[in-house]
């Protein structure tokens, strides 16, 4: 059973998240409503995954992301799933810059059902990524001149974008109307062009996504 910490200042939303996660088999170890509480809980409890709102008390600006960044410095690789109404590009890049997985960034008004959200929580808890397409597009805006990324074909970029959203090869094949063998060929090409040596494929997928999203 995965241990989850929830950070959300709105009572109804926080309570709803707690009940939703519990209903899907998660153990909610804490539900906090401020940046200082979040940082303390992350460092002391070290949950398997945390669901974090960006804007928390006391200033309602970026306390959630700041606390997440500080916690990941103390506990490298701590899995964080950010829930926000906006794309905070600078802090999203800082989260990605650590070079480890366990990162998600979803926009609240684009989470359309419980299954989508719970699947994202599980992927992040497992060390993967779960990025909203709108977040991806904004983070990629300054990456056009990244030489390894520039070497990717348009189809490889499409496949890698789907990987960033957390999709498996089978799901990518359905989404892009490709065979699974074609998707596997594209992913192998992506790994090669990004200089990712042969290793566990799940790990290479995460590293490829981080290279794709993170500004160099």
């Amino acid at each position: 059973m995965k241990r989850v910490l929830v950070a959300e200042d709105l009572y109804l939303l926080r309570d709803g998240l707690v009940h939703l996660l519990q209903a899907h088999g998660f153990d909610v170890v804490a539900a906090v409503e401020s940046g200082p509480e979040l940082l303390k809980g992350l460092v002391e409890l070290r949950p398997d995954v945390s669901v974090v709102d960006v804007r928390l008390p006391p200033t309602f600006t970026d306390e959630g992301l700041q606390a997440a960044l500080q916690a990941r410095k103390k506990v490298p690789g701590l899995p964080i799933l950010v829930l926000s109404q906006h794309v905070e590009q600078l802090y999203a890049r800082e989260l990605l810059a650590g070079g480890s997985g366990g990162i998600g960034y979803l926009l609240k008004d684009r989470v359309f059902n419980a299954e989508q959200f719970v699947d994202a929580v599980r992927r992040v808890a497992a060390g993967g990524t779960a990025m909203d397409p709108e977040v991806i597009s904004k983070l990629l805006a300054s990456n056009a001149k990244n030489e390894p990324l520039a070497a990717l074909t348009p189809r490889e970029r499409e496949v890698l974008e789907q990987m960033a959203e957390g999709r498996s090869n089978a799901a990518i094949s359905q989404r892009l109307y490709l065979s699974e063998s074609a998707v596997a060929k594209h992913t192998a090409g992506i790994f090669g062009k990004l200089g990712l040596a042969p290793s566990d494929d799940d790990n290479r997928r995460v590293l490829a996504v981080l290279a794709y999203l993170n500004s160099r």
Side-chain angles (χ1 to χ4, degrees):
M1 182 181 292
K2 295 295 184 181
R3 301 167 62 253
V4 186
L5 184 151
V6 174
E8 167 60 56
D9 65 294
L10 297 177
Y11 168 75
L12 288 178
L13 181 53
R14 183 172 67 251
D15 192 56
L17 286 169
V18 169
H19 283 85
L20 173 64
L21 291 165
Q22 290 175 333
H24 284 81
F26 293 93
D27 175 19
V28 179
V29 295
V32 302
E33 58 182 319
S34 72
E37 288 178 305
L38 171 59
L39 178 58
K40 184 174 185 291
L42 289 173
V43 174
E44 293 184 358
L45 298 174
R46 302 195 179 196
D48 297 313
V49 62
S50 299
V51 178
V52 176
D53 185 17
V54 170
R55 299 183 178 183
L56 296 174
T59 66
F60 295 97
T61 54
D62 54 20
E63 282 84 358
L65 274 174
Q66 289 281 21
L69 287 167
Q70 291 181 52
R72 278 175 68 94
K73 288 178 181 178
K74 296 176 182 292
V75 187
L78 195 65
I80 303 287
L81 173 60
V82 174
L83 272 181
S84 178
Q85 291 180 319
H86 311 281
V87 181
E88 304 284 353
Q89 293 187 53
L90 174 62
Y91 294 119
R93 287 196 184 283
E94 285 193 52
L95 279 173
L96 291 163
S100 60
I103 289 293
Y105 201 124
L106 301 181
L107 298 179
K108 289 180 179 179
D109 60 357
R110 289 167 57 86
V111 176
F112 301 119
N113 56 62
E115 289 71 24
Q116 174 195 6
F117 173 70
V118 169
D119 181 59
V121 176
R122 289 189 174 126
R123 286 204 307 272
V124 173
T129 58
M131 309 296 292
D132 185 281
E134 186 172 330
V135 176
I136 293 171
S137 66
K138 292 195 175 182
L139 291 177
L140 290 178
S142 64
N143 273 6
K145 296 182 180 179
N146 182 307
E147 290 185 8
L149 296 179
L152 300 181
T153 66
R155 180 60 88 181
E156 286 171 342
R157 290 180 71 91
E158 285 182 324
V159 170
L160 190 47
E161 183 171 340
Q162 296 296 311
M163 288 167 59
E165 293 178 35
R167 291 189 172 89
S168 65
N169 280 8
I172 293 172
S173 72
Q174 293 178 354
R175 186 87 171 189
L176 298 182
Y177 302 102
L178 297 169
S179 67
E180 285 195 48
S181 61
V183 173
K185 182 178 178 180
H186 287 309
T187 57
I190 291 165
F191 295 152
K193 290 177 182 179
L194 294 182
L196 299 175
S199 65
D200 175 77
D201 269 355
D202 285 343
N203 183 56
R204 284 203 293 174
R205 289 174 81 89
V206 170
L207 292 175
V209 168
L210 293 176
Y212 185 52
L213 295 174
N214 191 25
S215 176
R216 300 291 180 177

